[in-house]
Amino acid sequence: MTNRFSPFQSLWRTGLAALAAATLLAAGPARAEVFPDRPITMLVPFAAGGPTDVVARLIAIPMGKALGQTVLIENAVGAGGTIAATKTARAAPNGYTIFLHHMGMSTAPALYKKLSFDPLKDFDYIGQVVDVPMTLLARKDFPANNLQEALAYIKANKEKVTLANAGLGAVSHLCGLIFMSTIGVDLNTIPYKGTGPAMNDLLGGQVDLLCDQTTQTVPMIKEGRIKVFGVTTLNRLSALPNVPTLDEQGLKGFDVKVWHGMYAPKGTPPEVINKLNAALRTALQDPVVTKRLADLSSDVPPLDKITPNGLKTHLEAEINRWGPVIRKAGIYAD
Ligand code: MLT
Protein backbone atom coordinates (compact mmCIF):
# COMPACT_ATOMS: atom_id res chain seq x y z
CA MET A 1 0.00 0.00 0.00
CA THR A 2 1.35 3.41 -0.88
CA ASN A 3 1.67 6.12 1.73
CA ARG A 4 -0.89 8.87 0.97
CA PHE A 5 1.48 11.48 2.46
CA SER A 6 4.83 12.63 1.16
CA PRO A 7 7.73 12.36 3.65
CA PHE A 8 7.50 16.12 4.06
CA GLN A 9 3.75 15.94 4.84
CA SER A 10 4.34 13.12 7.38
CA LEU A 11 7.05 15.14 9.04
CA TRP A 12 4.76 18.16 9.09
CA ARG A 13 1.89 16.14 10.65
CA THR A 14 4.21 14.60 13.23
CA GLY A 15 5.55 18.05 14.05
CA LEU A 16 2.04 19.44 14.42
CA ALA A 17 1.05 16.57 16.72
CA ALA A 18 4.14 17.17 18.86
CA LEU A 19 3.42 20.89 18.96
CA ALA A 20 -0.20 20.26 19.97
CA ALA A 21 0.96 17.89 22.72
CA ALA A 22 3.51 20.40 23.95
CA THR A 23 0.89 23.19 23.93
CA LEU A 24 -1.54 21.03 25.88
CA LEU A 25 1.21 20.22 28.33
CA ALA A 26 2.03 23.88 28.77
CA ALA A 27 -1.47 25.31 28.96
CA GLY A 28 -3.74 22.38 29.68
CA PRO A 29 -5.55 21.68 32.91
CA ALA A 30 -3.43 20.52 35.81
CA ARG A 31 -3.66 16.87 36.75
CA ALA A 32 -3.62 17.42 40.47
CA GLU A 33 -2.50 13.89 41.28
CA VAL A 34 0.74 14.24 39.27
CA PHE A 35 1.31 17.94 40.03
CA PRO A 36 4.01 19.07 39.69
CA ASP A 37 5.67 17.03 36.98
CA ARG A 38 7.73 19.90 35.55
CA PRO A 39 9.29 23.17 36.77
CA ILE A 40 7.08 25.91 38.17
CA THR A 41 7.59 29.58 37.30
CA MET A 42 7.32 32.17 40.06
CA LEU A 43 6.67 35.62 38.57
CA VAL A 44 8.29 38.52 40.43
CA PRO A 45 7.02 42.02 39.56
CA PHE A 46 10.27 43.95 40.18
CA ALA A 47 13.89 43.82 39.06
CA ALA A 48 16.32 41.05 39.99
CA GLY A 49 18.43 41.79 43.07
CA GLY A 50 15.78 43.95 44.76
CA PRO A 51 13.79 43.17 47.92
CA THR A 52 10.90 41.22 46.33
CA ASP A 53 13.40 39.21 44.31
CA VAL A 54 15.40 38.48 47.49
CA VAL A 55 12.29 37.00 49.16
CA ALA A 56 11.35 35.04 46.01
CA ARG A 57 14.79 33.47 45.62
CA LEU A 58 14.98 32.67 49.34
CA ILE A 59 11.75 30.67 49.33
CA ALA A 60 11.98 29.22 45.79
CA ILE A 61 14.60 26.63 46.78
CA PRO A 62 12.80 25.10 49.81
CA MET A 63 9.47 25.32 47.97
CA GLY A 64 11.01 23.43 45.07
CA LYS A 65 12.42 20.81 47.44
CA ALA A 66 9.01 20.33 49.04
CA LEU A 67 7.34 20.00 45.64
CA GLY A 68 10.04 17.81 44.07
CA GLN A 69 10.45 20.27 41.17
CA THR A 70 12.49 23.40 40.49
CA VAL A 71 10.78 26.73 41.12
CA LEU A 72 12.18 29.17 38.54
CA ILE A 73 12.10 32.94 39.06
CA GLU A 74 10.94 35.18 36.21
CA ASN A 75 11.21 38.94 36.76
CA ALA A 76 8.29 40.43 34.78
CA VAL A 77 9.05 44.06 35.60
CA GLY A 78 7.36 47.40 35.01
CA ALA A 79 4.30 49.55 35.73
CA GLY A 80 4.65 49.22 39.52
CA GLY A 81 4.05 45.46 39.47
CA THR A 82 0.93 45.47 37.28
CA ILE A 83 2.65 43.82 34.28
CA ALA A 84 3.44 40.67 36.26
CA ALA A 85 -0.02 40.65 37.85
CA THR A 86 -1.65 40.84 34.40
CA LYS A 87 0.62 38.07 33.12
CA THR A 88 -0.38 35.87 36.06
CA ALA A 89 -4.09 36.59 35.64
CA ARG A 90 -3.84 35.51 31.98
CA ALA A 91 -1.69 32.41 32.56
CA ALA A 92 -3.09 28.86 32.43
CA PRO A 93 -4.60 28.01 35.84
CA ASN A 94 -2.57 24.86 36.29
CA GLY A 95 -0.21 25.67 39.16
CA TYR A 96 2.83 26.08 36.90
CA THR A 97 2.61 29.88 37.12
CA ILE A 98 2.60 31.44 40.58
CA PHE A 99 3.11 35.06 41.56
CA LEU A 100 4.80 36.77 44.50
CA HIS A 101 3.73 40.36 45.10
CA HIS A 102 3.64 42.78 48.00
CA MET A 103 0.95 45.17 49.19
CA GLY A 104 1.02 46.85 45.76
CA MET A 105 -1.68 44.28 44.96
CA SER A 106 -3.99 46.20 47.29
CA THR A 107 -3.07 49.74 46.19
CA ALA A 108 -3.20 49.10 42.40
CA PRO A 109 -7.02 49.25 42.05
CA ALA A 110 -7.07 52.82 43.40
CA LEU A 111 -3.78 53.93 41.78
CA TYR A 112 -4.55 52.77 38.23
CA LYS A 113 -7.64 54.11 36.43
CA LYS A 114 -7.39 51.28 33.91
CA LEU A 115 -6.23 48.00 35.42
CA SER A 116 -6.20 44.87 33.28
CA PHE A 117 -6.74 42.55 36.24
CA ASP A 118 -8.94 42.44 39.32
CA PRO A 119 -7.08 41.38 42.49
CA LEU A 120 -10.31 39.97 43.94
CA LYS A 121 -11.60 38.14 40.84
CA ASP A 122 -8.67 37.01 38.71
CA PHE A 123 -6.57 35.07 41.22
CA ASP A 124 -6.59 32.15 43.56
CA TYR A 125 -4.71 32.67 46.81
CA ILE A 126 -1.86 30.55 48.16
CA GLY A 127 -0.98 32.43 51.35
CA GLN A 128 0.70 35.41 52.96
CA VAL A 129 4.48 35.29 52.83
CA VAL A 130 6.44 37.83 54.87
CA ASP A 131 6.16 41.28 56.52
CA VAL A 132 9.07 43.64 55.84
CA PRO A 133 9.87 47.04 57.42
CA MET A 134 11.36 49.91 55.42
CA THR A 135 14.18 52.39 55.94
CA LEU A 136 14.65 55.98 54.79
CA LEU A 137 18.05 56.19 53.09
CA ALA A 138 20.39 58.66 51.44
CA ARG A 139 23.49 58.43 49.29
CA LYS A 140 26.67 58.19 51.34
CA ASP A 141 27.79 61.76 50.65
CA PHE A 142 24.37 63.36 51.19
CA PRO A 143 25.06 66.55 53.20
CA ALA A 144 23.22 65.51 56.42
CA ASN A 145 24.01 63.01 59.15
CA ASN A 146 20.64 62.56 60.80
CA LEU A 147 16.94 63.12 60.09
CA GLN A 148 16.81 66.67 61.49
CA GLU A 149 19.79 67.78 59.35
CA ALA A 150 18.29 65.95 56.37
CA LEU A 151 14.93 67.71 56.77
CA ALA A 152 16.63 71.11 56.97
CA TYR A 153 18.67 70.37 53.83
CA ILE A 154 15.66 68.94 51.94
CA LYS A 155 13.48 71.96 52.76
CA ALA A 156 16.20 74.40 51.70
CA ASN A 157 16.99 72.49 48.48
CA LYS A 158 13.71 70.93 47.45
CA GLU A 159 14.12 71.83 43.76
CA LYS A 160 17.25 69.75 43.44
CA VAL A 161 16.79 66.85 45.90
CA THR A 162 15.80 63.60 44.16
CA LEU A 163 13.83 60.69 45.60
CA ALA A 164 14.03 57.32 43.83
CA ASN A 165 11.18 54.80 43.69
CA ALA A 166 10.04 51.73 41.76
CA GLY A 167 7.05 53.36 40.04
CA LEU A 168 3.40 53.91 40.84
CA GLY A 169 2.22 50.95 42.90
CA ALA A 170 5.62 50.26 44.42
CA VAL A 171 5.98 50.49 48.17
CA SER A 172 9.04 52.72 47.75
CA HIS A 173 6.65 55.10 45.94
CA LEU A 174 4.03 54.85 48.69
CA CYS A 175 6.60 55.35 51.45
CA GLY A 176 8.07 58.34 49.57
CA LEU A 177 4.61 59.89 49.23
CA ILE A 178 3.92 59.47 52.93
CA PHE A 179 7.33 61.00 53.73
CA MET A 180 6.76 64.00 51.45
CA SER A 181 3.25 64.64 52.73
CA THR A 182 4.38 64.26 56.37
CA ILE A 183 7.12 66.88 55.94
CA GLY A 184 5.04 69.02 53.54
CA VAL A 185 7.56 69.02 50.67
CA ASP A 186 7.30 67.82 47.05
CA LEU A 187 10.53 66.34 45.70
CA ASN A 188 11.63 65.28 42.22
CA THR A 189 10.85 61.57 42.07
CA ILE A 190 12.82 59.23 39.79
CA PRO A 191 11.11 55.93 38.86
CA TYR A 192 13.02 52.67 38.32
CA LYS A 193 11.94 49.12 37.47
CA GLY A 194 12.60 48.06 41.03
CA THR A 195 14.55 49.29 44.02
CA GLY A 196 17.41 46.97 42.97
CA PRO A 197 18.41 49.38 40.16
CA ALA A 198 17.36 52.37 42.31
CA MET A 199 19.77 51.17 45.01
CA ASN A 200 22.57 50.90 42.42
CA ASP A 201 22.06 54.58 41.63
CA LEU A 202 21.89 55.50 45.33
CA LEU A 203 25.19 53.65 45.87
CA GLY A 204 26.64 55.44 42.84
CA GLY A 205 25.42 58.84 44.12
CA GLN A 206 23.15 59.49 41.11
CA VAL A 207 20.04 59.93 43.32
CA ASP A 208 19.76 61.43 46.80
CA LEU A 209 17.07 59.53 48.72
CA LEU A 210 15.26 56.19 48.69
CA CYS A 211 12.75 54.53 50.96
CA ASP A 212 13.35 50.79 50.72
CA GLN A 213 12.74 47.45 52.41
CA THR A 214 15.12 45.89 54.91
CA THR A 215 15.33 42.73 52.79
CA GLN A 216 17.66 44.76 50.59
CA THR A 217 18.93 47.52 52.86
CA VAL A 218 20.22 45.92 56.08
CA PRO A 219 23.56 44.68 54.62
CA MET A 220 24.28 48.01 52.91
CA ILE A 221 23.48 50.00 56.05
CA LYS A 222 25.70 47.73 58.16
CA GLU A 223 28.54 48.06 55.66
CA GLY A 224 28.18 51.87 55.79
CA ARG A 225 27.63 52.11 52.03
CA ILE A 226 24.56 54.34 52.44
CA LYS A 227 23.15 56.69 55.09
CA VAL A 228 20.02 55.79 57.05
CA PHE A 229 17.78 58.41 58.66
CA GLY A 230 15.18 56.15 60.26
CA VAL A 231 13.04 53.03 60.13
CA THR A 232 9.41 53.25 59.07
CA THR A 233 7.88 51.13 61.85
CA LEU A 234 6.78 52.30 65.30
CA ASN A 235 9.41 50.10 66.99
CA ARG A 236 13.13 49.88 66.33
CA LEU A 237 14.41 46.80 64.49
CA SER A 238 16.54 44.04 66.01
CA ALA A 239 18.80 44.07 62.92
CA LEU A 240 19.39 47.84 63.23
CA PRO A 241 19.03 48.60 66.97
CA ASN A 242 20.84 51.95 66.76
CA VAL A 243 18.66 53.33 63.98
CA PRO A 244 15.79 55.39 65.45
CA THR A 245 12.27 55.19 64.10
CA LEU A 246 10.94 58.10 62.05
CA ASP A 247 8.11 58.30 64.56
CA GLU A 248 10.40 58.77 67.56
CA GLN A 249 12.25 61.52 65.68
CA GLY A 250 9.10 63.59 65.26
CA LEU A 251 7.39 62.17 62.16
CA LYS A 252 4.52 61.05 64.39
CA GLY A 253 2.49 58.07 63.25
CA PHE A 254 4.90 57.11 60.45
CA ASP A 255 4.19 53.39 60.29
CA VAL A 256 4.79 51.40 57.09
CA LYS A 257 5.42 47.65 56.97
CA VAL A 258 5.21 45.76 53.70
CA TRP A 259 3.19 42.54 53.53
CA HIS A 260 3.58 39.98 50.74
CA GLY A 261 1.31 37.34 49.25
CA MET A 262 1.51 34.44 46.82
CA TYR A 263 -1.09 34.02 44.07
CA ALA A 264 -2.09 31.71 41.22
CA PRO A 265 -4.39 32.37 38.25
CA LYS A 266 -8.11 32.01 39.00
CA GLY A 267 -9.35 28.49 38.39
CA THR A 268 -6.26 26.64 39.63
CA PRO A 269 -7.54 23.29 41.01
CA PRO A 270 -7.92 23.34 44.83
CA GLU A 271 -5.69 20.23 45.18
CA VAL A 272 -2.91 22.09 43.35
CA ILE A 273 -3.40 25.19 45.54
CA ASN A 274 -3.17 22.92 48.60
CA LYS A 275 0.13 21.46 47.38
CA LEU A 276 1.53 24.94 46.69
CA ASN A 277 0.33 26.18 50.07
CA ALA A 278 1.92 23.22 51.87
CA ALA A 279 5.22 23.92 50.06
CA LEU A 280 5.04 27.62 50.98
CA ARG A 281 4.41 26.77 54.64
CA THR A 282 7.33 24.33 54.60
CA ALA A 283 9.59 26.96 53.03
CA LEU A 284 8.61 29.58 55.59
CA GLN A 285 9.47 27.21 58.44
CA ASP A 286 12.83 26.21 56.93
CA PRO A 287 15.56 27.24 59.44
CA VAL A 288 17.73 28.78 56.70
CA VAL A 289 14.82 30.94 55.56
CA THR A 290 13.67 31.97 59.05
CA LYS A 291 17.24 32.85 60.09
CA ARG A 292 17.84 34.93 56.97
CA LEU A 293 14.51 36.75 57.33
CA ALA A 294 15.17 37.39 61.03
CA ASP A 295 18.61 38.82 60.13
CA LEU A 296 16.75 41.22 57.84
CA SER A 297 14.18 42.09 60.57
CA SER A 298 11.41 40.56 58.45
CA ASP A 299 8.63 38.50 60.01
CA VAL A 300 7.04 35.26 58.85
CA PRO A 301 3.28 35.66 59.45
CA PRO A 302 1.47 33.29 61.83
CA LEU A 303 0.50 29.97 60.20
CA ASP A 304 -3.20 30.89 59.98
CA LYS A 305 -2.21 33.77 57.66
CA ILE A 306 -0.15 31.51 55.40
CA THR A 307 -3.41 30.16 53.98
CA PRO A 308 -5.54 31.00 50.92
CA ASN A 309 -8.22 32.48 53.14
CA GLY A 310 -5.69 34.35 55.31
CA LEU A 311 -4.33 36.11 52.20
CA LYS A 312 -7.74 36.80 50.63
CA THR A 313 -9.15 38.31 53.82
CA HIS A 314 -6.06 40.47 54.31
CA LEU A 315 -6.07 41.63 50.67
CA GLU A 316 -9.74 42.67 50.90
CA ALA A 317 -9.09 44.62 54.11
CA GLU A 318 -6.04 46.32 52.58
CA ILE A 319 -7.92 47.31 49.39
CA ASN A 320 -10.57 48.91 51.64
CA ARG A 321 -7.85 50.58 53.72
CA TRP A 322 -5.78 52.10 50.90
CA GLY A 323 -8.54 52.93 48.37
CA PRO A 324 -9.94 55.96 50.26
CA VAL A 325 -6.44 57.19 51.26
CA ILE A 326 -5.21 57.13 47.65
CA ARG A 327 -8.39 58.60 46.20
CA LYS A 328 -8.28 61.42 48.77
CA ALA A 329 -4.65 62.14 47.86
CA GLY A 330 -5.65 62.23 44.16
CA ILE A 331 -2.77 60.00 43.04
CA TYR A 332 -3.44 57.85 40.00
CA ALA A 333 -2.12 56.75 36.61
CA ASP A 334 -4.17 57.07 33.40
C1 MLT B 1 11.42 45.74 44.61
O1 MLT B 1 11.44 44.53 44.77
O2 MLT B 1 12.13 46.31 43.75
C2 MLT B 1 10.56 46.61 45.50
O3 MLT B 1 9.70 45.80 46.25
C3 MLT B 1 9.84 47.63 44.71
C4 MLT B 1 8.98 48.50 45.58
O4 MLT B 1 9.49 49.47 46.13
O5 MLT B 1 7.80 48.21 45.71
Side-chain angles (χ1 to χ4, degrees):
M1 207 165 84
T2 55
N3 188 343
R4 285 188 296 123
F5 301 108
S6 69
F8 174 75
Q9 282 172 317
S10 292
L11 202 62
W12 174 242
R13 282 164 64 93
T14 314
L16 272 185
L19 186 66
T23 307
L24 262 182
L25 197 67
R31 286 182 50 224
E33 68 278 12
V34 296
F35 176 83
D37 59 2
R38 60 194 163 84
I40 292 165
T41 298
M42 189 193 298
L43 291 174
V44 172
F46 297 104
T52 318
D53 188 71
V54 165
V55 174
R57 286 175 203 274
L58 192 58
I59 59 175
I61 293 171
M63 272 191 83
K65 263 193 210 152
L67 290 161
Q69 284 289 341
T70 308
V71 176
L72 304 164
I73 304 296
E74 183 184 321
N75 300 87
V77 304
T82 59
I83 287 175
T86 304
K87 197 168 174 179
T88 307
R90 293 183 183 160
N94 55 16
Y96 291 98
T97 302
I98 57 177
F99 177 42
L100 176 74
H101 196 4
H102 58 40
M103 58 198 267
M105 196 71 159
S106 62
T107 54
L111 286 173
Y112 285 84
K113 272 188 173 170
K114 291 182 215 130
L115 202 60
S116 45
F117 63 90
D118 182 336
L120 294 176
K121 291 199 182 128
D122 295 335
F123 301 89
D124 280 321
Y125 307 94
I126 299 170
Q128 282 189 50
V129 179
V130 67
D131 298 328
V132 186
M134 301 188 82
T135 44
L136 179 65
L137 311 163
R139 60 180 161 82
K140 199 176 170 184
D141 53 357
F142 190 74
N145 287 320
N146 55 48
L147 183 67
Q148 299 316 323
E149 288 178 16
L151 294 182
Y153 180 83
I154 289 168
K155 286 178 183 171
N157 296 278
K158 49 182 181 280
E159 290 79 22
K160 65 176 192 187
V161 173
T162 51
L163 172 64
N165 66 44
L168 198 65
V171 286
S172 45
H173 179 259
L174 185 70
C175 180
L177 284 178
I178 297 172
F179 175 65
M180 290 189 290
S181 88
T182 308
I183 65 168
V185 171
D186 263 344
L187 300 173
N188 301 309
T189 55
I190 317 276
Y192 291 80
K193 287 187 189 294
T195 54
M199 179 61 81
N200 287 341
D201 273 8
L202 192 76
L203 289 167
Q206 286 90 354
V207 285
D208 295 319
L209 304 170
L210 171 67
C211 195
D212 196 19
Q213 296 164 75
T214 55
T215 30
Q216 165 159 259
T217 65
V218 165
M220 284 141 191
I221 293 169
K222 285 189 167 168
E223 288 159 19
R225 299 170 70 198
I226 45 180
K227 283 184 176 171
V228 58
F229 295 141
V231 299
T232 64
T233 44
L234 293 179
N235 295 316
R236 290 191 184 200
L237 307 177
S238 55
L240 301 167
N242 299 325
V243 178
T245 69
L246 294 173
D247 176 85
E248 79 184 74
Q249 296 179 87
L251 305 190
K252 284 290 161 209
F254 207 112
D255 187 18
V256 181
K257 197 165 191 181
V258 183
W259 61 271
H260 293 71
M262 188 172 285
Y263 306 82
K266 184 80 184 168
T268 304
E271 302 81 1
V272 170
I273 292 289
N274 287 343
K275 285 187 182 178
L276 290 165
N277 173 262
L280 176 63
R281 290 161 79 97
T282 303
L284 290 175
Q285 291 173 87
D286 181 302
V288 174
V289 172
T290 51
K291 162 92 176 61
R292 183 79 191 120
L293 289 176
D295 288 348
L296 299 169
S297 278
S298 301
D299 302 321
V300 173
L303 279 181
D304 65 323
K305 305 273 183 206
I306 314 173
T307 58
N309 198 43
L311 173 56
K312 185 164 190 277
T313 310
H314 190 64
L315 176 65
E316 279 165 354
E318 286 283 286
I319 289 174
N320 291 333
R321 173 185 172 206
W322 287 109
V325 176
I326 291 165
R327 279 189 288 274
K328 192 169 166 215
I331 319 151
Y332 57 82
D334 287 323

